[in-house]
Amino acid sequence: MRHTVARVDLDALRGNVRAIRGLLEDGALASGHPAPGIIAVVKANAYGHGAAAVAHALEAEGVAMLACADVDEGVALRDAGVTAPILVFGALGVSDLDGIFSHRLTPTISSPWAGRALADAAAARDTVLGCHVKIDTGMNRLGLRHDNLRQTLPAILDAPALRVDALYTHFATADEPESEHFALQQQHFAEARETAAALGLRTTHAHAANSAALLRDERVWFDAVRPGLLLYGVVPPPLMTTLALEPALSLHSRVVAVKGVRDGEAVGYGQTYRPDGPRTVAVVPAGYADGLDWRLGNRGVVLVRGRRVPIVGRVSMDMISVDVTGLDVSPGDEVVLLGRQGEERLDVREVAATIGAIPWELLCRLGARIGREYGGGNSKCDM
Ligand SMILES: *Cc1c(COP(=O)(O)O)cnc(C)c1O
């Protein structure tokens, strides 16, 4: 058994869903609108947490829909036995068409080509395909441009083999409190929905909010919200919330060696850590091949014996060294790379901030070599 494991607390995940739902229900009560549904985002192996286990837990929690990045991720979810509706965000390729039908996925139409290809494929299979249409309201990435829908939408709305179940968009600056672009995108989306209605779109169903947008602005909740990061118990920086969220993932390892470094010696590749005097260094078997960011070398910290200790020298492919001078550390001692130990806590937002990265990136880069252990309430990380 390898020492480095990610523990995923599915009870925490479900608690996060309930906390988000509570927020949505309270807001809905206040505004008189029905509470939006939750489209739970499980792309990129559920942000590194393990897509199958996470999807089953979310399904049990009654989310309206799951969302993934591409058809292959959707197929993997179906193969794992997931039965909830699955929205595929990404652009489709020719080779994706079969999977949409064989695995009952809901595709996103984000280009005229995708509309034509899906309409033809559905017609050839003698079926009507439910799909969502993505509007580009200013992200300038995927989606039909908001300002020429009169050219692009009719072919999609008029295709007898397609049924558009929702319009959606995605915000570029929902996590930037100062940004005016967020309001501009909202305005473009409102206009796009009016245009679509005028062109004969039969549903008014819409969704737009990622984690940051759903925290920030009730006006963009529409019929469903699309949280990713927030489900996993991490608030998009720099936003804050009073919601009771718990990080679902913690990352643990064990000390495999402890050694003295003498005066004048240096630690690791490039000899980048050369202490002033003798030190005691512990070796931890987790490196950049496991998803630990190389930039954490001489910058990051880990928890050992309930204390924060610095990562010294470079991050190697398979291990790091940490300075445990003055602590009574032996091989076998637990190391926490993310999560809680005793009174101390190290969260992914903090780790990301120390190296100028973002929590999304660090979570979904957690490597395939790391085992995932799933637990409920009794397997919380502070052991
Ligand atoms: C990834 C993604 C989300 C979720 O984003 P978070 O910031 O993790 O909440 C929502 N919508 C789309 C289209 C996405 O690609």
Side-chain angles (χ1 to χ4, degrees):
M1 261 287 280
R2 292 199 176 112
H3 289 299
T4 305
V5 295
R7 296 200 189 124
V8 179
D9 181 346
L10 297 173
D11 281 351
L13 179 82
R14 294 180 65 164
N16 296 337
V17 174
R18 286 196 288 272
I20 294 167
R21 191 175 278 143
L23 172 77
L24 300 174
E25 284 170 358
D26 289 350
L29 213 57
S31 69
H33 295 295
I38 295 177
I39 300 176
V41 181
V42 296
K43 64 192 176 188
N45 198 26
Y47 291 45
H49 293 58
V54 163
H56 284 300
L58 293 168
E59 222 177 2
E61 201 50 49
V63 300
M65 200 171 203
L66 300 167
C68 58
D70 59 26
V71 168
D72 288 36
E73 287 186 353
V75 166
L77 290 170
R78 285 279 179 256
D79 287 347
V82 170
T83 57
I86 298 173
L87 176 63
V88 179
F89 285 146
L92 300 171
V94 178
S95 60
D96 288 329
L97 296 173
D98 275 336
I100 297 278
F101 295 91
S102 60
H103 289 75
R104 292 178 297 105
L105 306 176
T106 304
T108 293
I109 296 179
S110 52
S111 68
W113 178 84
R116 279 194 301 277
L118 287 169
D120 292 348
R125 287 166 176 80
D126 235 347
T127 185
V128 174
L129 177 68
C131 53
H132 292 200
V133 171
K134 184 167 189 183
I135 311 292
D136 179 0
T137 56
M139 177 94 165
N140 286 313
R141 207 179 54 178
L142 287 182
L144 302 176
R145 277 194 68 100
H146 67 92
D147 53 5
N148 66 351
L149 293 174
R150 289 181 185 283
Q151 279 74 56
T152 52
L153 256 191
I156 295 164
L157 298 181
D158 297 343
L162 295 180
R163 185 191 66 237
V164 177
D165 290 332
L167 289 190
Y168 76 98
T169 193
H170 195 45
F171 295 113
T173 59
D175 52 1
E176 293 175 29
E178 304 299 313
S179 166
E180 286 165 17
H181 193 64
F182 184 54
L184 185 65
Q185 284 197 262
Q186 289 181 50
Q187 189 189 322
H188 288 160
F189 191 48
E191 288 159 9
R193 294 179 71 202
E194 278 173 26
T195 306
L199 292 171
L201 174 63
R202 274 189 287 268
T203 181
T204 59
H205 238 80
H207 52 91
N210 59 3
S211 297
L214 100 76
L215 283 179
R216 245 184 92 182
D217 196 336
E218 280 182 33
R219 289 169 304 174
V220 296
W221 288 357
F222 301 109
D223 303 286
V225 294
R226 301 192 307 263
L229 197 65
L230 214 52
L231 291 176
Y232 305 100
V234 181
V235 177
L239 303 184
M240 303 290 213
T241 178
T242 54
L243 284 184
L245 300 173
E246 181 71 30
L249 182 142
S250 56
L251 188 58
H252 303 254
S253 189
R254 295 205 176 272
V255 171
V256 289
V258 180
K259 64 171 28 172
V261 177
R262 300 212 171 97
D263 201 12
E265 294 181 339
V267 176
Y269 285 117
Q271 299 196 296
T272 60
Y273 177 67
R274 194 181 288 281
D276 292 340
R279 313 300 290 176
T280 308
V281 165
V283 179
V284 182
Y288 59 77
D290 302 294
L292 238 61
D293 198 294
W294 187 82
R295 292 167 291 178
L296 288 167
N298 290 315
R299 290 206 193 115
V301 296
V302 304
L303 308 181
V304 180
R305 298 215 144 246
R307 305 279 281 277
R308 290 175 166 246
V309 301
I311 297 176
V312 293
R314 287 198 182 140
V315 173
S316 304
M317 186 183 291
D318 312 307
M319 59 193 109
I320 51 171
S321 300
V322 299
D323 186 341
V324 293
T325 307
L327 299 177
D328 179 20
V329 171
S330 331
D333 284 353
E334 188 202 46
V335 178
V336 169
L337 300 143
L338 284 177
R340 256 190 264 161
Q341 193 185 51
E343 300 294 299
E344 276 292 351
R345 178 172 197 142
L346 190 57
D347 71 42
V348 69
R349 251 173 88 136
E350 177 190 341
V351 176
T354 55
I355 53 170
I358 56 173
W360 294 264
E361 179 193 2
L362 297 194
L363 286 175
C364 62
R365 279 221 322 248
L366 283 180
R369 196 162 74 178
I370 296 180
R372 267 76 172 166
E373 287 177 0
Y374 294 95
N378 299 330
S379 62
K380 283 259 167 56
C381 3
D382 42 355
M383 33 200 283

